[in-house]
Amino acid sequence: MVPFVMRLVAVLAAILPAVVSAAQPEPKLTLVVPFVAGGPTDKLAQPFVAAFGRALGERVSVKNIGGGGGSVGTREVQRARPDGKVLLLANVGHAAAPALNAKLPYDPQKDFEPVGLIADVPMTLIARRDLRAHNVAELRTQMETGRRKLAIGHAGEGSASHLCSVLFARAAGKDLPTLTHPGTASAMNAMLSDGHIDLMCDQTTHTLERIRSGEVQAFGVTTVERLAALPDVPTLAEAGLPGVQLVVWHGLYAPKSTPPERIERLSAALRQALQDPALIDALKDLGATPAKADDATPKALRARLAADVERWSKALKQ
Ligand code: ASP
């Protein structure tokens, strides 16, 4: 009898932790990344949620919902209960989307509560490594005289990569066939595996390593100055494509009508997270610049969003 009881106790001791952990509540806060896993927004979100969760004292997890240039995941946050438990990580595309997506199912300014800016990320114009063009001049020649039209991949209407593709096509004076994906991670996979994508404009969070290893070639960066992380890559203006200047700023949003005290708490945790050495290091490795404390506020994000909605609606009208 006694050995049986001891065996029973041993079995229970072995399975109990699994039972207890399976019964634990769902993570407390969900951060929606409106693009597929492994892409630029996800790469930023992963170290961010770790630091943000520490600062907030809550469990935070990332949920990737790709599609519609970011609008599918964004819509999910718009519809979530406004208790500050479901948040959105959106980039400059949130401001450009009204001009780029005629069927946008929400108003980026009216349907969300801004929490604060998170980080800025530069973009890079990249190509398949076997494309026989190694700089912007050769790229232009190939676009003029090549037997087939070069195709550009992006993450759908209203995404940062779409915005950048539009600026590129305009600066180059050429329309390019486009192939859309639910995030640049899958567009990149298609480009690397002969999925008929020749070019992409994508963020350093997702391209730095591939450029450094030679997996893809880089024609230029979208910033005013060259990047310390890629000193040999010219700016696109230097390379002959002025007008393709774009910094991908990222903001944190809650659904409309989230209580002000909760927004203030989230915003304070955001500012604290941006001081976290682990996050600072991770952002540096991705070529990202953390937002300054003054910008990690609802007021600053609201102003940035309003200014950019206006800017892109004017700039993209033609
Ligand atoms: N940031 C998006 C992604 O994670 C793409 C984009 O906005 O261009 O795929």
Side-chain angles (χ1 to χ4, degrees):
M1 189 65 186
V2 171
F4 170 75
V5 172
M6 281 171 68
R7 233 181 300 136
L8 188 67
V9 168
V11 168
L12 282 177
I15 63 169
L16 214 58
V19 172
V20 169
S21 81
Q24 268 184 9
E26 284 288 285
K28 286 232 156 133
L29 196 158
T30 302
L31 179 64
V32 172
V33 163
F35 299 102
V36 291
T41 313
D42 189 50
K43 293 249 187 217
L44 185 73
Q46 297 298 344
F48 173 69
V49 292
F52 186 58
R54 277 194 289 276
L56 195 60
E58 291 178 25
R59 263 197 304 150
V60 188
S61 66
V62 171
K63 185 174 177 190
N64 297 88
I65 308 176
S71 64
V72 176
T74 303
R75 176 93 165 125
E76 184 117 338
V77 177
Q78 183 211 351
R79 287 178 169 154
R81 194 154 9 127
D83 55 5
K85 298 291 186 188
V86 177
L87 303 179
L88 171 71
L89 173 45
N91 67 24
V92 60
H94 196 51
L100 292 170
N101 182 351
K103 293 195 197 117
L104 202 66
Y106 48 79
D107 183 320
Q109 294 185 87
K110 291 193 188 134
D111 292 339
F112 301 88
E113 302 288 349
V115 175
L117 282 150
I118 303 174
D120 284 349
V121 183
M123 296 193 101
T124 49
L125 179 67
I126 56 167
R128 295 191 274 118
R129 120 169 123 179
D130 54 349
L131 189 75
R132 293 232 193 92
H134 306 297
N135 52 49
V136 166
E138 290 175 11
L139 181 62
R140 276 176 177 281
T141 309
Q142 179 141 169
M143 286 168 75
E144 298 289 337
T145 60
R147 263 183 293 127
R148 116 188 131 73
K149 281 192 166 185
L150 298 184
I152 193 159
H154 63 67
E157 288 183 357
S159 63
S161 47
H162 178 212
L163 175 60
C164 189
S165 308
V166 170
L167 299 179
F168 168 65
R170 185 187 285 178
K174 281 267 168 232
D175 270 344
L176 292 93
T178 55
L179 291 162
T180 61
H181 280 256
T184 56
S186 65
M188 179 74 83
N189 285 341
M191 186 167 94
L192 296 176
S193 61
D194 193 22
H196 310 293
I197 291 178
D198 301 293
L199 298 165
M200 267 172 63
C201 192
D202 198 11
Q203 297 171 59
T204 55
T205 33
H206 192 222
T207 61
L208 263 187
E209 289 312 315
R210 289 186 173 87
I211 294 170
R212 284 181 179 142
S213 69
E215 212 179 344
V216 298
Q217 37 175 337
F219 295 129
V221 294
T222 63
T223 40
V224 178
E225 307 273 334
R226 287 190 184 205
L227 302 178
L230 294 170
D232 300 332
V233 179
T235 68
L236 284 169
E238 258 181 271
L241 288 170
V244 194
Q245 266 175 14
L246 187 60
V247 171
V248 183
W249 51 267
H250 292 77
L252 185 65
Y253 302 84
K256 184 78 197 162
S257 304
T258 302
E261 320 79 69
R262 177 70 178 160
I263 297 289
E264 199 28 68
R265 177 139 188 257
L266 294 168
S267 184
L270 165 63
R271 288 187 290 279
Q272 194 181 325
L274 291 170
Q275 304 292 322
D276 188 316
L279 180 59
I280 293 172
D281 283 353
L283 292 180
K284 194 166 172 223
D285 288 347
L286 294 167
T289 310
K292 296 196 184 79
D294 283 353
D295 289 332
T297 62
K299 192 171 164 216
L301 178 54
R302 184 172 287 113
R304 177 74 66 91
L305 179 65
D308 262 29
V309 167
E310 195 181 326
R311 172 183 177 195
W312 294 117
S313 77
K314 278 191 187 145
L316 298 170
K317 218 170 231 153
Q318 307 123 22

